[in-house]
């Protein structure tokens, strides 16, 4: 059973601070890692993807991947109230017969306090 | 492009009733997926399809059936509704399943079984 673990939160940060979201995964051969943002009552939307060890930056968002530790994180700099949402970590792993599946964590709820 | 559309948005079923959740995508994606999301939980894969005429079970397929007669449509069938099927159902699609292909999600169907 492939597992993706996240702290459920809620994680509360003041406006302008850095929010740090963490995720660990169990499948050592996973190759692709994603962060989805989900506003309450809405569908998930992709905000970051990362495939190689190290950091990947996109605007205020930085994804960090350490395959040896089976750990992926998301940093949000200069957090805004509009960043308040649940962040889902997803890991793409091979499921046999040439297909892949995304396994999602339960999500971390982030609240940015004005 | 409408992306991924789902109908209905909301539905209340009585125990033992049947229904079909509709999903259509206009992005010519080969891969389509059905997930369910229970409160405070991540997304669980119910069924997926790698192309017209080809479907396979995900993590939680019991109580559901799917078909894929066209590239665009991927309906999910509940034959004998049970309270355990109360959930939010998301349909998603992607161009391929390997590597880093983003999954695009529909708006969801909120189903209650009483």
């Amino acid at each position: 059973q492939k597992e993706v673990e996240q702290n459920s939160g809620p994680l509360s940060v003041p406006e302008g601070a850095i929010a740090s979201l963490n995720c660990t995964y169990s499948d050592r051969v996973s190759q692709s890692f994603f962060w989805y943002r989900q506003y309450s009552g809405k569908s998930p939307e992709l905000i970051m993807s990362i495939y190689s060890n190290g950091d990947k930056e996109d605007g205020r968002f930085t994804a960090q991947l350490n395959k040896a530790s089976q750990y992926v994180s998301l940093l949000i700099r200069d957090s805004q109230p509009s960043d308040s949402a649940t962040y889902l970590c997803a890991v793409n792993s091979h499921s046999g017969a040439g297909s892949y599946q995304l396994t999602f964590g339960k999500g971390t709820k982030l609240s940015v306090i004005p | 492009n409408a992306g991924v559309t789902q109908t209905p948005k909301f539905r209340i079923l009585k125990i033992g009733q049947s229904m079909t959740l509709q999903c259509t995508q206009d992005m010519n994606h080969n891969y389509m997926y059905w997930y369910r999301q229970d409160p405070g939980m991540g997304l669980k894969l119910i069924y997926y399809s790698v192309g017209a005429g080809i479907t396979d079970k995900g993590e939680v397929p019991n109580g559901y059936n799917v078909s894929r007669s066209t590239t665009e449509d991927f309906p999910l069938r509940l034959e004998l509704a049970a309270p355990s099927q109360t959930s939010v159902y998301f349909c998603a699609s992607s161009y391929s399943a390997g590597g880093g292909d983003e999954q695009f999600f529909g708006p969801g169907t909120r189903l209650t079984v009483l």
Side-chain angles (χ1 to χ4, degrees):
Chain A
Q1 180 81 2
K2 300 178 177 67
E3 295 182 347
V4 177
E5 301 287 341
Q6 296 181 253
N7 288 328
S8 60
L11 173 66
S12 294
V13 300
E15 184 174 355
I18 296 175
S20 178
L21 306 165
N22 304 315
C23 172
T24 59
Y25 59 95
S26 64
D27 188 355
R28 285 196 162 274
V29 299
S30 294
Q31 294 296 318
S32 305
F33 307 86
F34 306 90
W35 284 99
Y36 282 82
R37 178 176 61 200
Q38 186 176 26
Y39 291 114
S40 181
K42 301 295 185 182
S43 57
E45 57 177 333
L46 182 70
I47 54 170
M48 288 289 287
S49 58
I50 187 167
Y51 316 110
S52 304
N53 280 330
D55 296 358
K56 179 182 177 182
E57 187 174 317
D58 184 1
R60 295 185 297 111
F61 298 95
T62 298
Q64 299 174 317
L65 175 61
N66 184 327
K67 289 185 180 180
S69 300
Q70 295 174 244
Y71 175 90
V72 59
S73 66
L74 179 70
L75 299 178
I76 306 175
R77 290 183 300 282
D78 188 24
S79 295
Q80 301 297 309
S82 59
D83 295 325
S84 297
T86 296
Y87 290 79
L88 302 170
C89 175
V91 176
N92 201 351
S93 52
H94 194 257
S95 61
S99 68
Y100 292 78
Q101 292 182 13
L102 273 185
T103 300
F104 285 84
K106 294 180 180 179
T108 298
K109 186 172 183 178
L110 173 66
S111 293
V112 180
I113 312 301
Chain B
N1 268 359
V4 180
T5 58
Q6 292 182 239
T7 57
K9 286 187 172 56
F10 304 93
R11 184 73 184 268
I12 298 175
L13 283 182
K14 294 182 179 178
I15 293 171
Q17 286 186 320
S18 300
M19 78 164 293
T20 298
L21 282 66
Q22 301 291 346
C23 175
T24 299
Q25 54 91 10
D26 64 358
M27 296 175 282
N28 201 32
H29 284 168
N30 292 319
Y31 290 76
M32 296 187 74
Y33 314 84
W34 275 106
Y35 294 92
R36 60 175 288 171
Q37 186 176 37
D38 299 325
M41 304 293 285
L43 295 148
K44 299 288 187 184
L45 183 65
I46 305 171
Y47 271 95
Y48 65 99
S49 169
V50 303
I54 307 170
T55 63
D56 205 351
K57 297 178 181 178
E59 184 182 355
V60 290
N62 291 345
Y64 307 94
N65 276 300
V66 294
S67 59
R68 183 101 181 266
S69 56
T70 67
T71 299
E72 295 78 18
D73 300 308
F74 190 39
L76 178 71
R77 178 84 178 160
L78 283 71
E79 290 293 348
L80 292 170
S84 61
Q85 293 177 306
T86 293
S87 190
V88 180
Y89 292 85
F90 290 103
C91 179
S93 73
S94 64
Y95 180 71
S96 71
D101 259 0
E102 176 182 357
Q103 288 190 15
F104 294 85
F105 286 82
T109 293
R110 188 175 297 273
L111 176 67
T112 302
V113 182
L114 300 174

